[in-house]
mmCIF file of all heavy atoms in Angstrom:
data_model
loop_
_atom_site.group_PDB
_atom_site.id
_atom_site.type_symbol
_atom_site.label_atom_id
_atom_site.label_comp_id
_atom_site.label_asym_id
_atom_site.label_seq_id
_atom_site.Cartn_x
_atom_site.Cartn_y
_atom_site.Cartn_z
ATOM 1 N N SER V 1 15.419 42.124 -54.434
ATOM 2 C CA SER V 1 16.665 42.785 -54.834
ATOM 3 C C SER V 1 16.414 44.145 -55.495
ATOM 4 O O SER V 1 17.395 44.934 -55.614
ATOM 5 C CB SER V 1 17.449 41.890 -55.814
ATOM 6 O OG SER V 1 16.687 41.594 -56.981
ATOM 7 N N ASN V 2 15.191 44.432 -55.934
ATOM 8 C CA ASN V 2 14.875 45.734 -56.553
ATOM 9 C C ASN V 2 14.349 46.758 -55.548
ATOM 10 O O ASN V 2 13.841 47.797 -55.943
ATOM 11 C CB ASN V 2 13.864 45.522 -57.656
ATOM 12 C CG ASN V 2 14.378 44.691 -58.818
ATOM 13 O OD1 ASN V 2 15.557 44.803 -59.155
ATOM 14 N ND2 ASN V 2 13.537 43.856 -59.399
ATOM 15 N N ARG V 3 14.460 46.463 -54.265
ATOM 16 C CA ARG V 3 13.993 47.380 -53.244
ATOM 17 C C ARG V 3 14.946 48.582 -53.118
ATOM 18 O O ARG V 3 16.141 48.443 -53.008
ATOM 19 C CB ARG V 3 13.888 46.658 -51.871
ATOM 20 C CG ARG V 3 13.364 47.494 -50.720
ATOM 21 C CD ARG V 3 13.200 46.586 -49.551
ATOM 22 N NE ARG V 3 13.035 47.243 -48.287
ATOM 23 C CZ ARG V 3 11.877 47.504 -47.712
ATOM 24 N NH1 ARG V 3 10.749 47.134 -48.318
ATOM 25 N NH2 ARG V 3 11.788 48.087 -46.540
ATOM 26 N N VAL V 4 14.355 49.791 -53.225
ATOM 27 C CA VAL V 4 15.129 51.052 -53.207
ATOM 28 C C VAL V 4 14.659 51.841 -51.985
ATOM 29 O O VAL V 4 13.493 51.906 -51.666
ATOM 30 C CB VAL V 4 14.888 51.873 -54.494
ATOM 31 C CG1 VAL V 4 15.658 53.176 -54.418
ATOM 32 C CG2 VAL V 4 15.320 51.053 -55.719
ATOM 33 N N GLU V 5 15.624 52.458 -51.291
ATOM 34 C CA GLU V 5 15.342 53.244 -50.083
ATOM 35 C C GLU V 5 15.770 54.698 -50.308
ATOM 36 O O GLU V 5 16.827 54.993 -50.854
ATOM 37 C CB GLU V 5 16.090 52.696 -48.895
ATOM 38 C CG GLU V 5 15.879 53.509 -47.609
ATOM 39 C CD GLU V 5 16.707 52.991 -46.436
ATOM 40 O OE1 GLU V 5 17.494 52.039 -46.649
ATOM 41 O OE2 GLU V 5 16.581 53.524 -45.334
ATOM 42 N N ARG V 6 14.893 55.600 -49.885
ATOM 43 C CA ARG V 6 15.209 57.045 -49.861
ATOM 44 C C ARG V 6 14.779 57.569 -48.511
ATOM 45 O O ARG V 6 13.763 57.146 -47.960
ATOM 46 C CB ARG V 6 14.484 57.785 -50.983
ATOM 47 C CG ARG V 6 14.968 57.407 -52.398
ATOM 48 C CD ARG V 6 16.395 57.828 -52.614
ATOM 49 N NE ARG V 6 16.863 57.494 -53.971
ATOM 50 C CZ ARG V 6 17.503 56.411 -54.298
ATOM 51 N NH1 ARG V 6 17.748 55.512 -53.337
ATOM 52 N NH2 ARG V 6 17.916 56.181 -55.518
ATOM 53 N N GLU V 7 15.523 58.511 -47.973
ATOM 54 C CA GLU V 7 15.308 58.950 -46.583
ATOM 55 C C GLU V 7 15.335 60.458 -46.456
ATOM 56 O O GLU V 7 16.195 61.115 -47.054
ATOM 57 C CB GLU V 7 16.354 58.314 -45.672
ATOM 58 C CG GLU V 7 16.118 58.535 -44.214
ATOM 59 C CD GLU V 7 17.152 57.801 -43.355
ATOM 60 O OE1 GLU V 7 18.251 58.342 -43.152
ATOM 61 O OE2 GLU V 7 16.840 56.682 -42.919
ATOM 62 N N PHE V 8 14.382 60.982 -45.692
ATOM 63 C CA PHE V 8 14.340 62.387 -45.326
ATOM 64 C C PHE V 8 14.540 62.476 -43.821
ATOM 65 O O PHE V 8 13.943 61.712 -43.044
ATOM 66 C CB PHE V 8 12.989 62.999 -45.683
ATOM 67 C CG PHE V 8 12.901 63.465 -47.119
ATOM 68 C CD1 PHE V 8 12.177 62.749 -48.029
ATOM 69 C CD2 PHE V 8 13.561 64.609 -47.513
ATOM 70 C CE1 PHE V 8 12.092 63.163 -49.339
ATOM 71 C CE2 PHE V 8 13.506 65.040 -48.848
ATOM 72 C CZ PHE V 8 12.757 64.314 -49.761
ATOM 73 N N ILE V 9 15.369 63.437 -43.383
ATOM 74 C CA ILE V 9 15.596 63.729 -41.989
ATOM 75 C C ILE V 9 15.286 65.206 -41.748
ATOM 76 O O ILE V 9 15.898 66.072 -42.385
ATOM 77 C CB ILE V 9 17.000 63.373 -41.512
ATOM 78 C CG1 ILE V 9 17.314 61.894 -41.718
ATOM 79 C CG2 ILE V 9 17.226 63.768 -40.066
ATOM 80 C CD1 ILE V 9 18.719 61.500 -41.382
ATOM 81 N N VAL V 10 14.325 65.462 -40.878
ATOM 82 C CA VAL V 10 13.914 66.839 -40.566
ATOM 83 C C VAL V 10 14.150 67.081 -39.092
ATOM 84 O O VAL V 10 13.599 66.358 -38.248
ATOM 85 C CB VAL V 10 12.432 67.058 -40.926
ATOM 86 C CG1 VAL V 10 12.032 68.514 -40.650
ATOM 87 C CG2 VAL V 10 12.168 66.703 -42.379
ATOM 88 N N SER V 11 14.909 68.086 -38.767
ATOM 89 C CA SER V 11 15.223 68.436 -37.380
ATOM 90 C C SER V 11 14.746 69.868 -37.099
ATOM 91 O O SER V 11 14.867 70.754 -37.967
ATOM 92 C CB SER V 11 16.724 68.353 -37.090
ATOM 93 O OG SER V 11 17.175 66.983 -37.306
ATOM 94 N N SER V 12 14.221 70.068 -35.900
ATOM 95 C CA SER V 12 13.755 71.396 -35.502
ATOM 96 C C SER V 12 13.834 71.523 -33.996
ATOM 97 O O SER V 12 13.973 70.535 -33.261
ATOM 98 C CB SER V 12 12.320 71.612 -35.999
ATOM 99 O OG SER V 12 11.434 70.656 -35.428
ATOM 100 N N LEU V 13 13.697 72.777 -33.541
ATOM 101 C CA LEU V 13 13.708 73.094 -32.108
ATOM 102 C C LEU V 13 12.382 73.707 -31.771
ATOM 103 O O LEU V 13 11.940 74.664 -32.411
ATOM 104 C CB LEU V 13 14.861 74.029 -31.767
ATOM 105 C CG LEU V 13 16.291 73.473 -31.890
ATOM 106 C CD1 LEU V 13 17.292 74.572 -31.626
ATOM 107 C CD2 LEU V 13 16.493 72.312 -30.921
ATOM 108 N N VAL V 14 11.702 73.184 -30.760
ATOM 109 C CA VAL V 14 10.389 73.667 -30.319
ATOM 110 C C VAL V 14 10.579 74.415 -29.013
ATOM 111 O O VAL V 14 11.202 73.925 -28.080
ATOM 112 C CB VAL V 14 9.375 72.504 -30.141
ATOM 113 C CG1 VAL V 14 8.043 73.044 -29.679
ATOM 114 C CG2 VAL V 14 9.228 71.758 -31.448
ATOM 115 N N GLY V 15 10.026 75.616 -28.938
ATOM 116 C CA GLY V 15 10.097 76.424 -27.750
ATOM 117 C C GLY V 15 11.234 77.444 -27.793
ATOM 118 O O GLY V 15 11.608 77.964 -26.771
ATOM 119 N N VAL V 16 11.759 77.724 -28.960
ATOM 120 C CA VAL V 16 12.812 78.744 -29.090
ATOM 121 C C VAL V 16 12.127 80.096 -29.047
ATOM 122 O O VAL V 16 11.178 80.360 -29.775
ATOM 123 C CB VAL V 16 13.571 78.564 -30.426
ATOM 124 C CG1 VAL V 16 14.633 79.641 -30.585
ATOM 125 C CG2 VAL V 16 14.207 77.200 -30.469
ATOM 126 N N PRO V 17 12.605 81.016 -28.191
ATOM 127 C CA PRO V 17 11.953 82.340 -28.095
ATOM 128 C C PRO V 17 12.174 83.086 -29.424
ATOM 129 O O PRO V 17 13.199 82.951 -30.098
ATOM 130 C CB PRO V 17 12.682 83.013 -26.928
ATOM 131 C CG PRO V 17 13.984 82.301 -26.818
ATOM 132 C CD PRO V 17 13.719 80.891 -27.238
ATOM 133 N N PRO V 18 11.199 83.869 -29.824
ATOM 134 C CA PRO V 18 11.339 84.621 -31.065
ATOM 135 C C PRO V 18 12.434 85.671 -30.934
ATOM 136 O O PRO V 18 12.744 86.143 -29.824
ATOM 137 C CB PRO V 18 9.955 85.233 -31.260
ATOM 138 C CG PRO V 18 9.375 85.351 -29.875
ATOM 139 C CD PRO V 18 9.902 84.153 -29.155
ATOM 140 N N PRO V 19 13.017 86.080 -32.021
ATOM 141 C CA PRO V 19 14.048 87.126 -31.972
ATOM 142 C C PRO V 19 13.434 88.459 -31.547
ATOM 143 O O PRO V 19 12.246 88.709 -31.721
ATOM 144 C CB PRO V 19 14.546 87.161 -33.410
ATOM 145 C CG PRO V 19 13.431 86.631 -34.231
ATOM 146 C CD PRO V 19 12.768 85.607 -33.379
ATOM 147 N N PRO V 20 14.242 89.341 -30.967
ATOM 148 C CA PRO V 20 13.681 90.648 -30.554
ATOM 149 C C PRO V 20 13.240 91.447 -31.753
ATOM 150 O O PRO V 20 13.807 91.373 -32.842
ATOM 151 C CB PRO V 20 14.893 91.315 -29.843
ATOM 152 C CG PRO V 20 16.122 90.618 -30.414
ATOM 153 C CD PRO V 20 15.671 89.214 -30.697
ATOM 154 N N SER V 21 12.210 92.213 -31.510
ATOM 155 C CA SER V 21 11.654 93.050 -32.588
ATOM 156 C C SER V 21 12.425 94.386 -32.610
ATOM 157 O O SER V 21 12.666 94.992 -31.572
ATOM 158 C CB SER V 21 10.169 93.302 -32.378
ATOM 159 O OG SER V 21 9.955 93.947 -31.110
ATOM 160 N N TYR V 22 12.822 94.745 -33.783
ATOM 161 C CA TYR V 22 13.564 95.988 -33.960
ATOM 162 C C TYR V 22 12.582 97.115 -34.267
ATOM 163 O O TYR V 22 11.541 96.880 -34.914
ATOM 164 C CB TYR V 22 14.577 95.855 -35.068
ATOM 165 C CG TYR V 22 15.658 94.847 -34.786
ATOM 166 C CD1 TYR V 22 15.568 93.512 -35.205
ATOM 167 C CD2 TYR V 22 16.780 95.213 -34.035
ATOM 168 C CE1 TYR V 22 16.543 92.592 -34.908
ATOM 169 C CE2 TYR V 22 17.787 94.295 -33.716
ATOM 170 C CZ TYR V 22 17.666 93.022 -34.174
ATOM 171 O OH TYR V 22 18.636 92.075 -33.858
ATOM 172 N N PRO V 23 12.911 98.357 -33.850
ATOM 173 C CA PRO V 23 11.988 99.480 -34.156
ATOM 174 C C PRO V 23 11.931 99.725 -35.658
ATOM 175 O O PRO V 23 12.849 99.482 -36.400
ATOM 176 C CB PRO V 23 12.643 100.684 -33.425
ATOM 177 C CG PRO V 23 14.064 100.307 -33.277
ATOM 178 C CD PRO V 23 14.081 98.818 -33.086
ATOM 179 N N ALA V 24 10.751 100.151 -36.056
ATOM 180 C CA ALA V 24 10.541 100.455 -37.487
ATOM 181 C C ALA V 24 11.368 101.652 -37.906
ATOM 182 O O ALA V 24 11.588 102.606 -37.117
ATOM 183 C CB ALA V 24 9.052 100.654 -37.761
ATOM 184 N N TYR V 25 11.786 101.599 -39.132
ATOM 185 C CA TYR V 25 12.532 102.747 -39.665
ATOM 186 C C TYR V 25 11.612 103.953 -39.840
ATOM 187 O O TYR V 25 10.459 103.779 -40.194
ATOM 188 C CB TYR V 25 13.172 102.393 -41.006
ATOM 189 C CG TYR V 25 14.294 101.410 -40.896
ATOM 190 C CD1 TYR V 25 14.096 100.041 -41.126
ATOM 191 C CD2 TYR V 25 15.562 101.805 -40.549
ATOM 192 C CE1 TYR V 25 15.111 99.108 -40.999
ATOM 193 C CE2 TYR V 25 16.608 100.887 -40.433
ATOM 194 C CZ TYR V 25 16.373 99.550 -40.686
ATOM 195 O OH TYR V 25 17.378 98.649 -40.555
ATOM 196 N N PRO V 26 12.121 105.149 -39.553
ATOM 197 C CA PRO V 26 11.259 106.341 -39.731
ATOM 198 C C PRO V 26 10.918 106.532 -41.217
ATOM 199 O O PRO V 26 11.687 106.186 -42.096
ATOM 200 C CB PRO V 26 12.121 107.488 -39.205
ATOM 201 C CG PRO V 26 13.530 107.012 -39.315
ATOM 202 C CD PRO V 26 13.483 105.506 -39.107
#
């Protein structure tokens, strides 16, 4: 009766293309 539960849920996407690179500021 003293059993305690805690839960973590981690979600992610694999294979997402990286965002476009913006030119550096002058």
Side-chain angles (χ1 to χ4, degrees):
S1 60
N2 295 324
R3 182 174 164 96
V4 179
E5 178 184 4
R6 294 294 181 267
E7 187 175 84
F8 277 105
I9 299 177
V10 182
S11 299
S12 61
L13 294 175
V14 179
V16 179
S21 58
Y22 295 95
Y25 290 98

